[in-house]
Amino acid sequence: MNLKRSVVNASINTAKEVIAHFGMHLPPFAHWTVEQWLQMGPDCDEIRDCMLGWDVTDFGSKDFYNIGRTLFTVRNGRMNQPNYPKQYAEKWLIDPENQRAPAHFHLSKREDIICRAGGNVLVQLTKADPEGNRSNETFTTQVDGCVRRLGPGEIVRLRPGESLTIHPRTIHQFWGEEGTGWKIDGVGYTLSAEISSVCDDLNDNVFLVDYGIRFPEIEEDEARACYLCHEYPKASAELINTVS
């Protein structure tokens, strides 16, 4: 079953509730409606072109509540685009108990995962070999600035305030630890953040599963409440002409 728009809408509403509960504040464009976006001119192209905003995906797994992700990209650059020179990105991630992205690594992106509030985040790490498969080698990473040596598939528990670094070509998955987190309808939620070099979701991700689709098609079973980061309409010709 494809990811449904009703699930996307509900997940964003839950994310807003979680973020507000932990005393965080989203930027104004997080709340823009479809109708408002149709009135936005080219002055908002950084949001469009750098794919800022809401991101809800099941990665093509058709199993969103186990293999999926709801997140909000606060800032990002764009590779080889002088108009967008930022060399960094920031995402806020909603971590329900046990929901995770498929195992994957990045060719160039280096990221820190920070457990911000709620329960614990479990991070499983394995180095990728030159062919992109799981390696048996031990390796080092940094946990709150201190070197940690890990074996393949080892899990690091991050409590609120703790963080670790995921280096390029390190296979990873992370999720909210069961039995921790702030509960909504019996499910514990944790808020984490990803601080990284520029995020290029179209070219830099390598998934270790056949269904690893970063932005799958969505079944439109109800009206879109807002645009996702890969769905924004371009500024209309009328608005472009007004600006120029």
Side-chain angles (χ1 to χ4, degrees), residues 33-105:
T33 64
V34 169
E35 292 74 20
Q36 286 175 299
W37 258 110
L38 296 178
Q39 303 303 314
M40 298 300 168
D43 51 328
C44 297
D45 277 350
E46 181 172 343
I47 299 174
R48 299 181 179 96
D49 295 343
C50 295
M51 301 179 75
L52 310 184
W54 290 110
D55 183 353
V56 182
T57 178
D58 69 354
F59 301 93
S61 70
K62 304 185 187 302
D63 186 19
F64 172 75
Y65 294 104
N66 290 300
I67 303 294
R69 183 68 78 199
T70 302
L71 59 94
F72 188 90
T73 300
V74 183
R75 66 201 86 250
N76 196 16
R78 188 162 179 179
M79 301 292 281
N80 303 315
Q81 290 287 334
N83 289 343
Y84 305 115
K86 291 175 183 174
Q87 299 297 307
Y88 51 86
E90 178 184 3
K91 298 182 178 186
W92 297 356
L93 303 104
I94 309 303
D95 300 306
E97 294 175 331
N98 295 318
Q99 186 191 54
R100 66 197 72 185
H104 66 288
F105 64 89

Side-chain angles (χ1 to χ4, degrees), residues 144-164:
D144 293 323
C146 298
V147 175
R148 178 82 63 89
R149 179 166 291 279
L150 302 173
E154 192 165 340
I155 293 175
V156 177
R157 175 181 286 104
L158 300 179
R159 298 173 178 81
E162 297 179 336
S163 65
L164 64 71

Side-chain angles (χ1 to χ4, degrees), residues 136-198:
N136 290 323
E137 68 176 292
T138 60
F139 59 98
T140 59
T141 190
Q142 292 72 43
V143 178
D144 293 323
C146 298
V147 175
R148 178 82 63 89
R149 179 166 291 279
L150 302 173
E154 192 165 340
I155 293 175
V156 177
R157 175 181 286 104
L158 300 179
R159 298 173 178 81
E162 297 179 336
S163 65
L164 64 71
T165 300
I166 301 176
H167 298 280
R169 301 192 65 84
T170 302
I171 300 164
H172 56 282
Q173 288 183 290
F174 58 92
W175 59 93
E177 183 176 12
E178 189 172 2
T180 69
W182 176 61
K183 291 192 179 297
I184 302 177
D185 297 328
V187 177
Y189 285 85
T190 295
L191 180 65
S192 63
E194 176 190 304
I195 308 297
S196 73
S197 51
V198 169

Side-chain angles (χ1 to χ4, degrees), residues 104-138:
H104 66 288
F105 64 89
H106 305 292
L107 297 172
S108 64
K109 186 173 77 171
R110 189 182 315 275
E111 59 190 297
D112 278 13
I113 300 300
I114 308 166
C115 182
R116 290 293 193 194
N120 304 326
V121 172
L122 301 179
V123 187
Q124 185 173 44
L125 302 171
T126 303
K127 288 299 291 184
D129 65 18
E131 289 73 40
N133 300 312
R134 289 181 172 86
S135 168
N136 290 323
E137 68 176 292
T138 60

